[in-house]
C-alpha cells in the first residue's frame, strides 16, 4: 500500500461559478409590463371616447391604461417604494402618468384626430417613450432603477 505522509500534498479542484441577473419580473423590485415588448399600443378602435368630427375633430382619449405593475419580491415582503418619477421623450400625447395605490403605473393619453368634416377622424402614427425612475428600499437593500415603456399611437 502506498500513501502520502508529507505536508506537501496538494489537491486541485476545478470549480465554476455562474452569475445571472434576475429579470424584471423576478427581481426584488418586480416589474410586470402590460406587454412583453414594453410597448403600449393605442388604436382608435379601442379608445375611451373622442375622435368625433364636426368641422374640427376631437382627440381620441385613452384613460387609465396600465403600463407597469410594481411587485414586492423581497423574502421579507417589506419593500417600500420611496419615490417614483416619470419623464417623457417624444410626441406630446400624455395627459397624466401616475403610481396608484394598487401598485400600478398607469396613464391617460390623448391622440389628436384629423380628417372628415362630419364623422370620426383618423388617428395618426406617433410615439413617446416614458422613463420610469423608481427608488425603493427594504431592510438592508436599496433599489434605484430606470425602465422605459414605449407608447405607440397606431394610425388608421
Amino acid at each position: 500500500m502506498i500513501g502520502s505522509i508529507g505536508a506537501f500534498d496538494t489537491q486541485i479542484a476545478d470549480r465554476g461559478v455562474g452569475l445571472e441577473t434576475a429579470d424584471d419580473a423576478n427581481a426584488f423590485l418586480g416589474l410586470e409590463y402590460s406587454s412583453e415588448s414594453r410597448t403600449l399600443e393605442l388604436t382608435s378602435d379601442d379608445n375611451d371616447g373622442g375622435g368625433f368630427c364636426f368641422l374640427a375633430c376631437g382627440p381620441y382619449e385613452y384613460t387609465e391604461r396600465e403600463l407597469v405593475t410594481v411587485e414586492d419580491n423581497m423574502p421579507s415582503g417589506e419593500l417600500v417604494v420611496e419615490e417614483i418619477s416619470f419623464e417623457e421623450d417624444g410626441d406630446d400625447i400624455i395627459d397624466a402618468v401616475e403610481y396608484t395605490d394598487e401598485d400600478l403605473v398607469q396613464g391617460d393619453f390623448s391622440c389628436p384626430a384629423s380628417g372628415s368634416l362630419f364623422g370620426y377622424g383618423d388617428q395618426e402614427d406617433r410615439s413617446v417613450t416614458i422613463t420610469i425612475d423608481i427608488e425603493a428600499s427594504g431592510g438592508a437593500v436599496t433599489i434605484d432603477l430606470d425602465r422605459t415603456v414605449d407608447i405607440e399611437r397606431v394610425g388608421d
Side-chain angles (χ1 to χ4, degrees), residues 73-154:
N73 292 333
M74 292 280 290
S76 64
E78 297 176 0
L79 191 66
V80 175
V81 174
E82 295 174 356
E83 186 176 334
I84 188 164
S85 61
F86 311 100
E87 185 177 316
E88 63 183 89
D89 181 24
D91 295 316
D92 186 23
I93 62 173
I94 299 172
D95 291 336
V97 178
E98 66 178 346
Y99 178 61
T100 71
D101 292 337
E102 293 85 31
D103 296 323
L104 295 174
V105 175
Q106 66 185 22
D108 297 339
F109 307 95
S110 179
C111 302
S114 62
S116 67
L117 296 173
F118 185 76
Y120 285 91
D122 294 329
Q123 181 171 273
E124 299 173 9
D125 287 331
R126 300 264 171 97
S127 65
V128 65
T129 299
I130 298 175
T131 301
I132 304 168
D133 180 23
I134 303 175
E135 294 179 21
S137 65
V141 176
T142 301
I143 300 167
D144 185 3
L145 62 85
D146 292 337
R147 294 295 186 265
T148 59
V149 176
D150 295 319
I151 311 301
E152 299 283 334
R153 227 172 51 190
V154 179

Side-chain angles (χ1 to χ4, degrees), residues 26-46:
N26 297 317
F28 284 154
L29 176 62
L31 299 177
E32 288 284 338
Y33 300 93
S34 60
S35 74
E36 277 188 44
S37 65
R38 294 187 192 183
T39 301
L40 174 65
E41 291 187 349
L42 303 175
T43 60
S44 62
D45 61 347
D46 185 33

